[in-house]
PDB file of all heavy atoms in Angstrom:
ATOM      1  N   MET A 227    -113.257 -55.182  43.401  1.00 87.00           N
ATOM      2  CA  MET A 227    -112.026 -55.863  43.044  1.00 87.00           C
ATOM      3  C   MET A 227    -111.127 -56.049  44.273  1.00 87.00           C
ATOM      4  O   MET A 227    -110.554 -57.101  44.435  1.00 87.00           O
ATOM      5  CB  MET A 227    -111.320 -55.071  41.941  1.00 87.00           C
ATOM      6  CG  MET A 227    -109.947 -55.580  41.596  1.00 87.00           C
ATOM      7  SD  MET A 227    -109.747 -56.852  40.351  1.00 87.00           S
ATOM      8  CE  MET A 227    -110.640 -56.257  39.003  1.00 87.00           C
ATOM      9  N   ARG A 228    -111.020 -54.984  45.125  1.00 89.00           N
ATOM     10  CA  ARG A 228    -110.186 -55.110  46.325  1.00 89.00           C
ATOM     11  C   ARG A 228    -110.667 -56.253  47.204  1.00 89.00           C
ATOM     12  O   ARG A 228    -109.866 -57.063  47.672  1.00 89.00           O
ATOM     13  CB  ARG A 228    -110.218 -53.809  47.143  1.00 89.00           C
ATOM     14  CG  ARG A 228    -109.165 -52.828  46.832  1.00 89.00           C
ATOM     15  CD  ARG A 228    -109.159 -51.620  47.758  1.00 89.00           C
ATOM     16  NE  ARG A 228    -110.414 -50.887  47.766  1.00 89.00           N
ATOM     17  CZ  ARG A 228    -111.294 -50.916  48.772  1.00 89.00           C
ATOM     18  NH1 ARG A 228    -111.064 -51.605  49.851  1.00 89.00           N
ATOM     19  NH2 ARG A 228    -112.418 -50.237  48.699  1.00 89.00           N
ATOM     20  N   MET A 231    -109.754 -59.632  45.840  1.00 90.00           N
ATOM     21  CA  MET A 231    -108.326 -59.939  46.024  1.00 90.00           C
ATOM     22  C   MET A 231    -108.046 -60.338  47.468  1.00 90.00           C
ATOM     23  O   MET A 231    -107.291 -61.283  47.719  1.00 90.00           O
ATOM     24  CB  MET A 231    -107.463 -58.731  45.634  1.00 90.00           C
ATOM     25  CG  MET A 231    -107.407 -58.478  44.148  1.00 90.00           C
ATOM     26  SD  MET A 231    -106.417 -57.012  43.739  1.00 90.00           S
ATOM     27  CE  MET A 231    -104.762 -57.639  44.037  1.00 90.00           C
ATOM     28  N   ILE A 232    -108.660 -59.631  48.411  1.00 89.00           N
ATOM     29  CA  ILE A 232    -108.457 -59.941  49.828  1.00 89.00           C
ATOM     30  C   ILE A 232    -108.984 -61.334  50.135  1.00 89.00           C
ATOM     31  O   ILE A 232    -108.310 -62.144  50.763  1.00 89.00           O
ATOM     32  CB  ILE A 232    -109.133 -58.881  50.718  1.00 89.00           C
ATOM     33  CG1 ILE A 232    -108.393 -57.545  50.599  1.00 89.00           C
ATOM     34  CG2 ILE A 232    -109.183 -59.347  52.176  1.00 89.00           C
ATOM     35  CD1 ILE A 232    -109.137 -56.359  51.194  1.00 89.00           C
ATOM     36  N   GLN A 234    -109.458 -63.847  48.111  1.00 86.00           N
ATOM     37  CA  GLN A 234    -108.618 -64.858  47.470  1.00 86.00           C
ATOM     38  C   GLN A 234    -107.322 -65.061  48.239  1.00 86.00           C
ATOM     39  O   GLN A 234    -106.820 -66.175  48.329  1.00 86.00           O
ATOM     40  CB  GLN A 234    -108.298 -64.461  46.026  1.00 86.00           C
ATOM     41  CG  GLN A 234    -109.464 -64.610  45.092  1.00 86.00           C
ATOM     42  CD  GLN A 234    -109.129 -64.146  43.694  1.00 86.00           C
ATOM     43  OE1 GLN A 234    -108.367 -63.205  43.499  1.00 86.00           O
ATOM     44  NE2 GLN A 234    -109.699 -64.806  42.714  1.00 86.00           N
ATOM     45  N   THR A 235    -106.793 -63.989  48.787  1.00 83.00           N
ATOM     46  CA  THR A 235    -105.535 -64.062  49.522  1.00 83.00           C
ATOM     47  C   THR A 235    -105.703 -64.806  50.840  1.00 83.00           C
ATOM     48  O   THR A 235    -104.896 -65.661  51.186  1.00 83.00           O
ATOM     49  CB  THR A 235    -104.981 -62.647  49.773  1.00 83.00           C
ATOM     50  OG1 THR A 235    -104.777 -62.021  48.516  1.00 83.00           O
ATOM     51  CG2 THR A 235    -103.681 -62.690  50.536  1.00 83.00           C
ATOM     52  N   ALA A 252    -100.035 -61.197  53.890  1.00 93.00           N
ATOM     53  CA  ALA A 252    -100.585 -60.133  53.052  1.00 93.00           C
ATOM     54  C   ALA A 252    -100.319 -58.766  53.676  1.00 93.00           C
ATOM     55  O   ALA A 252     -99.926 -57.815  52.983  1.00 93.00           O
ATOM     56  CB  ALA A 252    -102.079 -60.349  52.845  1.00 93.00           C
ATOM     57  N   ARG A 255     -96.549 -57.911  53.454  1.00 94.00           N
ATOM     58  CA  ARG A 255     -96.177 -57.541  52.079  1.00 94.00           C
ATOM     59  C   ARG A 255     -96.662 -56.136  51.734  1.00 94.00           C
ATOM     60  O   ARG A 255     -95.976 -55.400  51.027  1.00 94.00           O
ATOM     61  CB  ARG A 255     -96.716 -58.565  51.094  1.00 94.00           C
ATOM     62  CG  ARG A 255     -95.945 -59.875  51.140  1.00 94.00           C
ATOM     63  CD  ARG A 255     -96.698 -60.964  50.385  1.00 94.00           C
ATOM     64  NE  ARG A 255     -95.965 -62.201  50.376  1.00 94.00           N
ATOM     65  CZ  ARG A 255     -95.325 -62.679  49.309  1.00 94.00           C
ATOM     66  NH1 ARG A 255     -95.331 -62.012  48.180  1.00 94.00           N
ATOM     67  NH2 ARG A 255     -94.685 -63.816  49.381  1.00 94.00           N
ATOM     68  N   LEU A 256     -97.832 -55.769  52.241  1.00 95.00           N
ATOM     69  CA  LEU A 256     -98.303 -54.401  52.024  1.00 95.00           C
ATOM     70  C   LEU A 256     -97.390 -53.397  52.726  1.00 95.00           C
ATOM     71  O   LEU A 256     -97.055 -52.349  52.166  1.00 95.00           O
ATOM     72  CB  LEU A 256     -99.748 -54.232  52.498  1.00 95.00           C
ATOM     73  CG  LEU A 256    -100.826 -54.844  51.614  1.00 95.00           C
ATOM     74  CD1 LEU A 256    -102.191 -54.759  52.294  1.00 95.00           C
ATOM     75  CD2 LEU A 256    -100.872 -54.168  50.256  1.00 95.00           C
ATOM     76  N   GLN A 259     -94.268 -53.044  50.667  1.00 94.00           N
ATOM     77  CA  GLN A 259     -94.535 -52.371  49.394  1.00 94.00           C
ATOM     78  C   GLN A 259     -94.721 -50.865  49.608  1.00 94.00           C
ATOM     79  O   GLN A 259     -94.262 -50.050  48.804  1.00 94.00           O
ATOM     80  CB  GLN A 259     -95.789 -52.970  48.746  1.00 94.00           C
ATOM     81  CG  GLN A 259     -96.046 -52.496  47.348  1.00 94.00           C
ATOM     82  CD  GLN A 259     -95.077 -53.073  46.340  1.00 94.00           C
ATOM     83  OE1 GLN A 259     -94.551 -54.159  46.519  1.00 94.00           O
ATOM     84  NE2 GLN A 259     -94.834 -52.332  45.280  1.00 94.00           N
ATOM     85  N   LEU A 260     -95.400 -50.509  50.684  1.00 95.00           N
ATOM     86  CA  LEU A 260     -95.713 -49.106  50.935  1.00 95.00           C
ATOM     87  C   LEU A 260     -94.573 -48.325  51.593  1.00 95.00           C
ATOM     88  O   LEU A 260     -94.482 -47.109  51.410  1.00 95.00           O
ATOM     89  CB  LEU A 260     -96.973 -49.002  51.805  1.00 95.00           C
ATOM     90  CG  LEU A 260     -98.270 -49.373  51.109  1.00 95.00           C
ATOM     91  CD1 LEU A 260     -99.401 -49.487  52.125  1.00 95.00           C
ATOM     92  CD2 LEU A 260     -98.607 -48.357  50.033  1.00 95.00           C
ATOM     93  N   THR A 326    -106.907 -51.431  53.152  1.00 97.00           N
ATOM     94  CA  THR A 326    -106.941 -51.106  51.725  1.00 97.00           C
ATOM     95  C   THR A 326    -107.997 -50.048  51.408  1.00 97.00           C
ATOM     96  O   THR A 326    -107.800 -49.234  50.514  1.00 97.00           O
ATOM     97  CB  THR A 326    -107.135 -52.365  50.859  1.00 97.00           C
ATOM     98  OG1 THR A 326    -108.356 -53.021  51.219  1.00 97.00           O
ATOM     99  CG2 THR A 326    -105.956 -53.323  51.008  1.00 97.00           C
ATOM    100  N   LEU A 329    -106.366 -46.791  52.400  1.00 96.00           N
ATOM    101  CA  LEU A 329    -105.367 -46.455  51.387  1.00 96.00           C
ATOM    102  C   LEU A 329    -106.045 -45.932  50.123  1.00 96.00           C
ATOM    103  O   LEU A 329    -105.624 -44.911  49.561  1.00 96.00           O
ATOM    104  CB  LEU A 329    -104.496 -47.677  51.072  1.00 96.00           C
ATOM    105  CG  LEU A 329    -103.357 -47.462  50.086  1.00 96.00           C
ATOM    106  CD1 LEU A 329    -102.359 -46.435  50.614  1.00 96.00           C
ATOM    107  CD2 LEU A 329    -102.655 -48.789  49.808  1.00 96.00           C
ATOM    108  N   GLU A 335    -108.442 -45.774  44.060  1.00 95.00           N
ATOM    109  CA  GLU A 335    -108.650 -47.215  43.890  1.00 95.00           C
ATOM    110  C   GLU A 335    -107.621 -47.840  42.956  1.00 95.00           C
ATOM    111  O   GLU A 335    -107.081 -48.915  43.233  1.00 95.00           O
ATOM    112  CB  GLU A 335    -110.064 -47.454  43.355  1.00 95.00           C
ATOM    113  CG  GLU A 335    -110.486 -48.900  43.344  1.00 95.00           C
ATOM    114  CD  GLU A 335    -110.786 -49.453  44.730  1.00 95.00           C
ATOM    115  OE1 GLU A 335    -111.020 -48.689  45.668  1.00 95.00           O
ATOM    116  OE2 GLU A 335    -110.784 -50.687  44.857  1.00 95.00           O
ATOM    117  N   SER A 336    -107.322 -47.194  41.849  1.00 94.00           N
ATOM    118  CA  SER A 336    -106.399 -47.756  40.864  1.00 94.00           C
ATOM    119  C   SER A 336    -105.002 -47.970  41.447  1.00 94.00           C
ATOM    120  O   SER A 336    -104.413 -49.035  41.283  1.00 94.00           O
ATOM    121  CB  SER A 336    -106.333 -46.856  39.634  1.00 94.00           C
ATOM    122  OG  SER A 336    -105.445 -47.391  38.685  1.00 94.00           O
ATOM    123  N   ILE A 337    -104.493 -46.963  42.146  1.00 94.00           N
ATOM    124  CA  ILE A 337    -103.153 -47.088  42.742  1.00 94.00           C
ATOM    125  C   ILE A 337    -103.167 -48.144  43.840  1.00 94.00           C
ATOM    126  O   ILE A 337    -102.235 -48.941  43.968  1.00 94.00           O
ATOM    127  CB  ILE A 337    -102.649 -45.729  43.255  1.00 94.00           C
ATOM    128  CG1 ILE A 337    -102.383 -44.805  42.068  1.00 94.00           C
ATOM    129  CG2 ILE A 337    -101.394 -45.892  44.107  1.00 94.00           C
ATOM    130  CD1 ILE A 337    -102.043 -43.378  42.435  1.00 94.00           C
ATOM    131  N   THR A 338    -104.236 -48.169  44.623  1.00 95.00           N
ATOM    132  CA  THR A 338    -104.351 -49.184  45.678  1.00 95.00           C
ATOM    133  C   THR A 338    -104.325 -50.585  45.085  1.00 95.00           C
ATOM    134  O   THR A 338    -103.623 -51.474  45.581  1.00 95.00           O
ATOM    135  CB  THR A 338    -105.627 -48.961  46.513  1.00 95.00           C
ATOM    136  OG1 THR A 338    -105.548 -47.672  47.123  1.00 95.00           O
ATOM    137  CG2 THR A 338    -105.796 -50.039  47.575  1.00 95.00           C
ATOM    138  N   LEU A 339    -105.074 -50.801  44.010  1.00 94.00           N
ATOM    139  CA  LEU A 339    -105.076 -52.115  43.354  1.00 94.00           C
ATOM    140  C   LEU A 339    -103.692 -52.472  42.828  1.00 94.00           C
ATOM    141  O   LEU A 339    -103.265 -53.619  42.908  1.00 94.00           O
ATOM    142  CB  LEU A 339    -106.112 -52.154  42.232  1.00 94.00           C
ATOM    143  CG  LEU A 339    -107.571 -52.162  42.680  1.00 94.00           C
ATOM    144  CD1 LEU A 339    -108.490 -51.977  41.483  1.00 94.00           C
ATOM    145  CD2 LEU A 339    -107.901 -53.430  43.441  1.00 94.00           C
ATOM    146  N   ARG A 340    -102.991 -51.494  42.296  1.00 95.00           N
ATOM    147  CA  ARG A 340    -101.632 -51.745  41.803  1.00 95.00           C
ATOM    148  C   ARG A 340    -100.698 -52.123  42.937  1.00 95.00           C
ATOM    149  O   ARG A 340     -99.874 -53.033  42.795  1.00 95.00           O
ATOM    150  CB  ARG A 340    -101.101 -50.530  41.057  1.00 95.00           C
ATOM    151  CG  ARG A 340    -101.784 -50.314  39.724  1.00 95.00           C
ATOM    152  CD  ARG A 340    -101.309 -49.021  39.066  1.00 95.00           C
ATOM    153  NE  ARG A 340    -102.146 -48.662  37.956  1.00 95.00           N
ATOM    154  CZ  ARG A 340    -102.002 -49.126  36.714  1.00 95.00           C
ATOM    155  NH1 ARG A 340    -101.037 -49.958  36.428  1.00 95.00           N
ATOM    156  NH2 ARG A 340    -102.821 -48.739  35.767  1.00 95.00           N
ATOM    157  N   VAL A 341    -100.811 -51.440  44.069  1.00 95.00           N
ATOM    158  CA  VAL A 341     -99.986 -51.769  45.237  1.00 95.00           C
ATOM    159  C   VAL A 341    -100.300 -53.179  45.721  1.00 95.00           C
ATOM    160  O   VAL A 341     -99.397 -53.976  45.997  1.00 95.00           O
ATOM    161  CB  VAL A 341    -100.184 -50.731  46.365  1.00 95.00           C
ATOM    162  CG1 VAL A 341     -99.587 -51.214  47.675  1.00 95.00           C
ATOM    163  CG2 VAL A 341     -99.578 -49.390  45.969  1.00 95.00           C
ATOM    164  N   MET A 342    -101.590 -53.502  45.822  1.00 95.00           N
ATOM    165  CA  MET A 342    -101.987 -54.836  46.270  1.00 95.00           C
ATOM    166  C   MET A 342    -101.465 -55.904  45.313  1.00 95.00           C
ATOM    167  O   MET A 342    -100.938 -56.930  45.749  1.00 95.00           O
ATOM    168  CB  MET A 342    -103.513 -54.925  46.378  1.00 95.00           C
ATOM    169  CG  MET A 342    -104.110 -54.095  47.489  1.00 95.00           C
ATOM    170  SD  MET A 342    -105.917 -53.930  47.383  1.00 95.00           S
ATOM    171  CE  MET A 342    -106.438 -55.621  47.718  1.00 95.00           C
ATOM    172  N   HIS A 343    -101.619 -55.657  44.026  1.00 92.00           N
ATOM    173  CA  HIS A 343    -101.163 -56.630  43.038  1.00 92.00           C
ATOM    174  C   HIS A 343     -99.655 -56.805  43.122  1.00 92.00           C
ATOM    175  O   HIS A 343     -99.142 -57.934  43.094  1.00 92.00           O
ATOM    176  CB  HIS A 343    -101.597 -56.197  41.635  1.00 92.00           C
ATOM    177  CG  HIS A 343    -101.451 -57.270  40.621  1.00 92.00           C
ATOM    178  ND1 HIS A 343    -100.327 -57.422  39.856  1.00 92.00           N
ATOM    179  CD2 HIS A 343    -102.293 -58.271  40.262  1.00 92.00           C
ATOM    180  CE1 HIS A 343    -100.478 -58.468  39.058  1.00 92.00           C
ATOM    181  NE2 HIS A 343    -101.662 -58.994  39.289  1.00 92.00           N
ATOM    182  N   SER A 344     -98.920 -55.711  43.245  1.00 93.00           N
ATOM    183  CA  SER A 344     -97.460 -55.796  43.367  1.00 93.00           C
ATOM    184  C   SER A 344     -97.040 -56.538  44.632  1.00 93.00           C
ATOM    185  O   SER A 344     -96.113 -57.347  44.607  1.00 93.00           O
ATOM    186  CB  SER A 344     -96.837 -54.396  43.384  1.00 93.00           C
ATOM    187  OG  SER A 344     -97.007 -53.769  42.154  1.00 93.00           O
ATOM    188  N   ALA A 345     -97.740 -56.258  45.720  1.00 92.00           N
ATOM    189  CA  ALA A 345     -97.398 -56.891  46.996  1.00 92.00           C
ATOM    190  C   ALA A 345     -97.731 -58.374  47.004  1.00 92.00           C
ATOM    191  O   ALA A 345     -97.009 -59.180  47.581  1.00 92.00           O
ATOM    192  CB  ALA A 345     -98.133 -56.185  48.135  1.00 92.00           C
ATOM    193  N   TRP A 346     -98.829 -58.746  46.362  1.00 90.00           N
ATOM    194  CA  TRP A 346     -99.338 -60.108  46.472  1.00 90.00           C
ATOM    195  C   TRP A 346     -99.185 -60.921  45.193  1.00 90.00           C
ATOM    196  O   TRP A 346     -99.697 -62.033  45.105  1.00 90.00           O
ATOM    197  CB  TRP A 346    -100.815 -60.093  46.862  1.00 90.00           C
ATOM    198  CG  TRP A 346    -101.099 -59.406  48.157  1.00 90.00           C
ATOM    199  CD1 TRP A 346    -100.208 -59.124  49.160  1.00 90.00           C
ATOM    200  CD2 TRP A 346    -102.357 -58.916  48.603  1.00 90.00           C
ATOM    201  NE1 TRP A 346    -100.851 -58.487  50.196  1.00 90.00           N
ATOM    202  CE2 TRP A 346    -102.170 -58.350  49.883  1.00 90.00           C
ATOM    203  CE3 TRP A 346    -103.631 -58.903  48.047  1.00 90.00           C
ATOM    204  CZ2 TRP A 346    -103.208 -57.774  50.614  1.00 90.00           C
ATOM    205  CZ3 TRP A 346    -104.657 -58.330  48.767  1.00 90.00           C
ATOM    206  CH2 TRP A 346    -104.443 -57.779  50.041  1.00 90.00           C
ATOM    207  N   ASP A 347     -98.507 -60.397  44.212  1.00 83.00           N
ATOM    208  CA  ASP A 347     -98.439 -61.025  42.897  1.00 83.00           C
ATOM    209  C   ASP A 347     -97.985 -62.481  42.933  1.00 83.00           C
ATOM    210  O   ASP A 347     -98.494 -63.304  42.191  1.00 83.00           O
ATOM    211  CB  ASP A 347     -97.517 -60.212  41.979  1.00 83.00           C
ATOM    212  CG  ASP A 347     -97.593 -60.675  40.538  1.00 83.00           C
ATOM    213  OD1 ASP A 347     -98.714 -60.970  40.078  1.00 83.00           O
ATOM    214  OD2 ASP A 347     -96.544 -60.744  39.882  1.00 83.00           O
ATOM    215  N   ASP A 348     -97.042 -62.804  43.788  1.00 75.00           N
ATOM    216  CA  ASP A 348     -96.509 -64.167  43.774  1.00 75.00           C
ATOM    217  C   ASP A 348     -97.159 -65.089  44.801  1.00 75.00           C
ATOM    218  O   ASP A 348     -96.737 -66.233  44.956  1.00 75.00           O
ATOM    219  CB  ASP A 348     -94.998 -64.151  43.948  1.00 75.00           C
ATOM    220  CG  ASP A 348     -94.568 -63.620  45.296  1.00 75.00           C
ATOM    221  OD1 ASP A 348     -95.351 -62.890  45.927  1.00 75.00           O
ATOM    222  OD2 ASP A 348     -93.441 -63.917  45.707  1.00 75.00           O
ATOM    223  N   LEU A 349     -98.194 -64.611  45.502  1.00 65.00           N
ATOM    224  CA  LEU A 349     -98.894 -65.498  46.428  1.00 65.00           C
ATOM    225  C   LEU A 349     -99.718 -66.502  45.636  1.00 65.00           C
ATOM    226  O   LEU A 349    -100.462 -66.138  44.736  1.00 65.00           O
ATOM    227  CB  LEU A 349     -99.800 -64.704  47.372  1.00 65.00           C
ATOM    228  CG  LEU A 349     -99.095 -63.810  48.391  1.00 65.00           C
ATOM    229  CD1 LEU A 349    -100.117 -63.041  49.200  1.00 65.00           C
ATOM    230  CD2 LEU A 349     -98.199 -64.614  49.300  1.00 65.00           C
ATOM    231  N   ILE A 352    -103.536 -66.047  44.760  1.00 42.00           N
ATOM    232  CA  ILE A 352    -104.076 -65.073  43.817  1.00 42.00           C
ATOM    233  C   ILE A 352    -103.400 -65.185  42.455  1.00 42.00           C
ATOM    234  O   ILE A 352    -103.201 -64.206  41.773  1.00 42.00           O
ATOM    235  CB  ILE A 352    -103.989 -63.642  44.369  1.00 42.00           C
ATOM    236  CG1 ILE A 352    -102.538 -63.247  44.663  1.00 42.00           C
ATOM    237  CG2 ILE A 352    -104.858 -63.461  45.574  1.00 42.00           C
ATOM    238  CD1 ILE A 352    -102.381 -61.770  44.946  1.00 42.00           C
ATOM    239  N   ARG A 353    -103.088 -66.376  42.045  1.00 38.00           N
ATOM    240  CA  ARG A 353    -102.458 -66.594  40.738  1.00 38.00           C
ATOM    241  C   ARG A 353    -103.387 -66.278  39.574  1.00 38.00           C
ATOM    242  O   ARG A 353    -102.943 -66.067  38.460  1.00 38.00           O
ATOM    243  CB  ARG A 353    -101.985 -68.037  40.615  1.00 38.00           C
ATOM    244  CG  ARG A 353    -100.764 -68.302  41.458  1.00 38.00           C
ATOM    245  CD  ARG A 353     -99.552 -68.260  40.585  1.00 38.00           C
ATOM    246  NE  ARG A 353     -98.405 -68.565  41.393  1.00 38.00           N
ATOM    247  CZ  ARG A 353     -97.306 -67.844  41.375  1.00 38.00           C
ATOM    248  NH1 ARG A 353     -97.200 -66.800  40.615  1.00 38.00           N
ATOM    249  NH2 ARG A 353     -96.288 -68.173  42.116  1.00 38.00           N
ATOM    250  N   ALA A 354    -104.705 -66.235  39.826  1.00 43.00           N
ATOM    251  CA  ALA A 354    -105.651 -65.934  38.745  1.00 43.00           C
ATOM    252  C   ALA A 354    -105.369 -64.548  38.189  1.00 43.00           C
ATOM    253  O   ALA A 354    -104.983 -63.659  38.923  1.00 43.00           O
ATOM    254  CB  ALA A 354    -107.074 -66.012  39.286  1.00 43.00           C
ATOM    255  N   PRO A 355    -105.562 -64.357  36.885  1.00 40.00           N
ATOM    256  CA  PRO A 355    -105.306 -63.049  36.288  1.00 40.00           C
ATOM    257  C   PRO A 355    -106.183 -61.973  36.901  1.00 40.00           C
ATOM    258  O   PRO A 355    -107.360 -62.210  37.176  1.00 40.00           O
ATOM    259  CB  PRO A 355    -105.644 -63.244  34.810  1.00 40.00           C
ATOM    260  CG  PRO A 355    -105.968 -64.658  34.613  1.00 40.00           C
ATOM    261  CD  PRO A 355    -106.033 -65.349  35.938  1.00 40.00           C
ATOM    262  N   MET A 356    -105.610 -60.815  37.109  1.00 42.00           N
ATOM    263  CA  MET A 356    -106.325 -59.683  37.676  1.00 42.00           C
ATOM    264  C   MET A 356    -106.375 -58.575  36.641  1.00 42.00           C
ATOM    265  O   MET A 356    -105.383 -58.284  35.998  1.00 42.00           O
ATOM    266  CB  MET A 356    -105.591 -59.134  38.913  1.00 42.00           C
ATOM    267  CG  MET A 356    -105.458 -60.094  40.027  1.00 42.00           C
ATOM    268  SD  MET A 356    -107.032 -60.169  40.889  1.00 42.00           S
ATOM    269  CE  MET A 356    -106.708 -61.518  41.978  1.00 42.00           C
ATOM    270  N   GLU A 357    -107.521 -57.970  36.487  1.00 44.00           N
ATOM    271  CA  GLU A 357    -107.637 -56.794  35.641  1.00 44.00           C
ATOM    272  C   GLU A 357    -107.553 -55.577  36.537  1.00 44.00           C
ATOM    273  O   GLU A 357    -108.302 -55.454  37.489  1.00 44.00           O
ATOM    274  CB  GLU A 357    -108.967 -56.786  34.905  1.00 44.00           C
ATOM    275  CG  GLU A 357    -109.044 -57.824  33.820  1.00 44.00           C
ATOM    276  CD  GLU A 357    -110.340 -57.680  33.039  1.00 44.00           C
ATOM    277  OE1 GLU A 357    -110.847 -56.552  32.925  1.00 44.00           O
ATOM    278  OE2 GLU A 357    -110.820 -58.721  32.565  1.00 44.00           O
ATOM    279  N   ILE A 358    -106.623 -54.689  36.222  1.00 43.00           N
ATOM    280  CA  ILE A 358    -106.460 -53.478  36.994  1.00 43.00           C
ATOM    281  C   ILE A 358    -106.944 -52.314  36.142  1.00 43.00           C
ATOM    282  O   ILE A 358    -106.456 -52.120  35.027  1.00 43.00           O
ATOM    283  CB  ILE A 358    -105.000 -53.282  37.431  1.00 43.00           C
ATOM    284  CG1 ILE A 358    -104.571 -54.432  38.318  1.00 43.00           C
ATOM    285  CG2 ILE A 358    -104.815 -51.939  38.120  1.00 43.00           C
ATOM    286  CD1 ILE A 358    -103.163 -54.376  38.768  1.00 43.00           C
ATOM    287  N   PRO A 359    -107.897 -51.529  36.648  1.00 45.00           N
ATOM    288  CA  PRO A 359    -108.390 -50.397  35.879  1.00 45.00           C
ATOM    289  C   PRO A 359    -107.278 -49.413  35.578  1.00 45.00           C
ATOM    290  O   PRO A 359    -106.407 -49.181  36.393  1.00 45.00           O
ATOM    291  CB  PRO A 359    -109.445 -49.754  36.785  1.00 45.00           C
ATOM    292  CG  PRO A 359    -109.645 -50.677  37.914  1.00 45.00           C
ATOM    293  CD  PRO A 359    -108.523 -51.649  37.945  1.00 45.00           C
TER     294      PRO A 359
END
Side-chain angles (χ1 to χ4, degrees):
M227 173 88 51
R228 268 186 302 106
M231 288 178 74
I232 291 168
Q234 287 177 326
T235 300
R255 287 167 178 254
L256 285 173
Q259 188 72 28
L260 289 169
T326 59
L329 183 62
E335 189 73 19
S336 180
I337 292 173
T338 299
L339 289 171
R340 289 175 192 275
V341 167
M342 291 168 68
H343 193 267
S344 293
W346 301 341
D347 190 41
D348 65 338
L349 292 177
I352 60 169
R353 287 260 182 228
M356 298 282 172
E357 289 185 30
I358 298 178

